[in-house]
Amino acid sequence: MTNKKFYKHENNTVTKWFMTIEGTMETSIHNNIVYSTDKNHINSPAFYDCVVHLICIEGNASIIYNDQPFEIVKGDIAVLSRPRLVRIENVSEDFRCEYIAAPDKFLHNLLPANNYSIQGCVSLFSNPIIKVSEEDALKFRRDLDNIRLRIEDIDHRFYIDMIGSLLQTMIYDLFDFHTRNNENILTTDRVGYITSQFFAMIEAGRPKTQREVSYYAKELNVTSKYLSDTIKRVTGHSISSHINSAATSIILEYLKDNRLSITQIADEMQFTSVSYFSRYCTKHIGMSPAQYRLAGAK
């Protein structure tokens, strides 16, 4: 019998239902694009597969993102590619915001094919706040409003293409805002190629079995030092942190599937032993696989 679980996400604008079947989300793109003004739902589990594009309308707050603090004030834009890593703290009484949450996989297919795309996204993960002029803030709010007004237009015969074009316009505007203050992100073609190819391998799931820097360096025909220095310079984070972050995400998905034993997961990910797998989890997740499953069962 198929195991189905239903979740409900509510805010002042939309009610979002989605269904998971044995851990796999099945839903239309319409049900996954959400406009909201509720700051309390930014890190909702309903958005874990989404990117949140937010603008502060009034007041100020602290956004803790990937354990790093960032201040957001009126007119600032935040691009949050991993909502599960977000906490909102020190919120002023007059704080107001609005945002669009859309599936990461859908947005990825809309990204412009240029060097700035991958490097800009990586830079925004390191610092998600974009400072913009009043004119650009108004332009971004118009982008959000255009999307909000068309989300429910599901009878449109070209709905996916139509909503995709509106989201793509928003993305191009964001890259335009971002590049004005981050010209150094546009690095040489070689650096851009190496960076984009490395992250293409990460996104393809290579860290499932390949967690050594030397593997990626060999695949890209560069030295480990060159690759490590390049990724560090472009992203601000070590190459190992990117590899381990991707591997950890894969591990967590496996651990959620109780049909798989810990030994099976260790074998599938080609760890040399279950004990080494357990030590890896403790280091990068903060607890052993058994402890993680026990905590999830409570």
Side-chain angles (χ1 to χ4, degrees):
M1 180 176 181
T2 303
N3 180 27
K4 299 182 179 180
K5 294 183 180 180
F6 292 85
Y7 300 87
K8 185 179 183 183
H9 168 66
E10 293 184 337
N11 54 49
N12 60 331
T13 307
V14 68
T15 299
K16 175 184 177 185
W17 285 95
F18 62 90
M19 178 178 70
T20 60
I21 302 179
E22 297 181 342
T24 302
M25 186 168 67
E26 293 193 355
T27 182
S28 70
I29 190 67
H30 158 254
N31 290 330
N32 273 286
I33 299 175
V34 175
Y35 168 90
S36 180
T37 59
D38 191 338
K39 66 180 185 298
N40 296 316
H41 282 145
I42 292 171
N43 61 355
S44 165
F47 296 154
Y48 279 3
D49 65 334
C50 294
V51 179
V52 173
H53 302 83
L54 173 150
I55 186 168
C56 177
I57 302 170
E58 294 289 347
N60 59 84
S62 295
I63 293 181
I64 311 301
Y65 187 52
N66 197 27
D67 293 327
Q68 298 295 317
F70 301 94
E71 295 300 315
I72 187 168
V73 300
K74 180 180 179 180
D76 286 354
I77 296 170
V79 180
L80 307 169
S81 59
R82 298 187 186 178
R84 71 177 66 200
L85 302 179
V86 174
R87 299 196 315 274
I88 307 294
E89 299 180 351
N90 303 320
V91 181
S92 66
E93 292 185 2
D94 60 340
F95 179 78
R96 291 194 301 123
C97 68
E98 62 175 333
Y99 57 88
I100 290 285
D104 180 53
K105 289 183 179 179
F106 184 64
L107 293 173
H108 182 77
N109 292 329
L110 303 175
L111 290 177
N114 55 48
N115 280 343
Y116 191 82
S117 176
I118 183 67
Q119 296 169 42
C121 288
V122 170
S123 175
L124 284 168
F125 179 70
S126 300
N127 181 357
I129 306 300
I130 305 176
K131 300 285 185 181
V132 299
S133 65
E134 290 185 15
E135 179 181 358
D136 285 342
L138 181 59
K139 184 185 294 184
F140 181 69
R141 292 193 68 185
R142 284 199 296 263
D143 286 340
L144 296 186
D145 203 41
N146 287 336
I147 297 167
R148 177 184 65 83
L149 291 172
R150 303 304 296 272
I151 289 175
E152 300 301 322
D153 195 7
I154 57 176
D155 291 330
H156 195 295
R157 293 189 177 184
F158 305 96
Y159 179 81
I160 292 178
D161 293 326
M162 178 271 294
I163 207 74
S165 70
L166 295 175
L167 286 164
Q168 190 175 55
T169 297
M170 177 189 71
I171 291 170
Y172 272 112
D173 281 342
L174 285 170
F175 279 177
D176 179 51
F177 304 155
H178 192 238
T179 189
R180 293 181 206 170
N181 298 318
N182 296 273
E183 292 292 346
N184 61 315
I185 296 297
L186 293 173
T187 54
T188 67
D189 286 343
R190 177 170 171 76
V191 169
Y193 174 79
I194 293 296
T195 303
S196 62
Q197 290 301 301
F198 168 71
F199 280 101
M201 287 191 284
I202 292 295
E203 291 175 4
R206 299 283 185 90
K208 174 183 173 180
T209 58
Q210 303 295 338
R211 292 171 289 276
E212 298 296 328
V213 176
S214 58
Y215 166 83
Y216 297 92
K218 183 178 180 180
E219 288 291 300
L220 295 170
N221 295 312
V222 296
T223 66
S224 294
K225 185 179 187 308
Y226 178 85
L227 181 59
S228 297
D229 290 347
T230 298
I231 299 302
K232 176 70 174 180
R233 184 168 70 252
V234 172
T235 71
H237 297 279
S238 72
I239 186 172
S240 294
S241 68
H242 293 293
I243 296 171
N244 290 325
S245 177
T248 299
S249 295
I250 295 170
I251 289 170
L252 292 177
E253 289 303 312
Y254 275 135
L255 289 175
K256 292 174 185 175
D257 187 349
N258 289 319
R259 295 171 301 178
L260 295 174
S261 70
I262 292 172
T263 299
Q264 286 175 313
I265 297 172
D267 288 342
E268 182 71 17
M269 297 188 69
Q270 296 183 16
F271 281 90
T272 54
S273 67
V274 175
S275 60
Y276 175 45
F277 175 58
S278 183
R279 290 196 302 273
Y280 187 92
C281 290
T282 300
K283 180 178 180 180
H284 298 290
I285 300 176
M287 60 183 75
S288 70
Q291 290 171 328
Y292 180 85
R293 280 188 162 172
L294 182 63
K298 293 181 178 180

